[in-house]
Amino acid sequence: MLVIQALLIAAVVAVGALLVRSSAGERHQAVRRLLLGALVVLAVASILVPGAVTAVAGLVGVGRGTDLLLYGLVVAFLGFVVQSYRRSRQVEARLTALTRRLALDEAEPPGEARRRLSAERPPPG
């Protein structure tokens, strides 16, 4: 197994672990910001010195720098998908809780509902 294969597998497993891990608030945000900062620095470096990406790719066993960038983007995209999925689930849970609370708050008390229904019914006859 090539070094890059092991690294990519580890990255994919890490992204999968994020799916089942609960977010840790400020610490989680700090890690995300650090990773984003590192990504920006690497992007700028790859623009300024494109040959360096090819050299790094050769060191880890990938033929071209563009392939290495593609692999990195795939891992980043998977991370984004996981994050979006988790956020969507949280929003759905909040919406469900709010909808239930609203339904209970606006529900007519049972005694009033019986009186209203009996008043609306015409007398037998």
Side-chain angles (χ1 to χ4, degrees):
M1 180 184 302
L2 297 174
V3 174
I4 188 64
Q5 290 172 323
L7 289 174
L8 289 171
I9 290 170
V12 169
V13 168
V15 168
L18 287 175
L19 182 61
V20 296
R21 179 182 158 279
S22 64
S23 63
E26 291 178 18
R27 181 176 176 207
H28 185 68
Q29 268 189 330
V31 170
R32 190 179 311 154
R33 287 180 181 155
L34 287 173
L35 290 174
L36 180 61
L39 178 66
V40 168
V41 169
L42 288 174
V44 169
S46 69
I47 291 169
L48 294 174
V49 190
V53 177
T54 302
V56 171
L59 289 174
V60 297
V62 178
R64 300 179 306 173
T66 54
D67 292 340
L68 181 63
L69 289 175
L70 176 65
Y71 298 151
L73 286 173
V74 166
V75 171
F77 176 72
L78 288 175
F80 173 76
V81 168
V82 167
Q83 178 186 1
S84 295
Y85 173 76
R86 293 181 75 212
R87 186 175 293 140
S88 172
R89 295 289 304 232
Q90 289 173 348
V91 168
E92 286 176 16
R94 281 191 214 145
L95 182 60
T96 300
L98 286 171
T99 303
R100 288 178 181 162
R101 181 77 257 162
L102 185 61
L104 290 173
D105 288 347
E106 292 184 356
E108 193 173 20
E112 289 181 26
R114 279 191 220 97
R115 282 191 289 280
R116 183 179 51 78
L117 289 174
S118 64
E120 291 175 1
R121 248 184 259 159

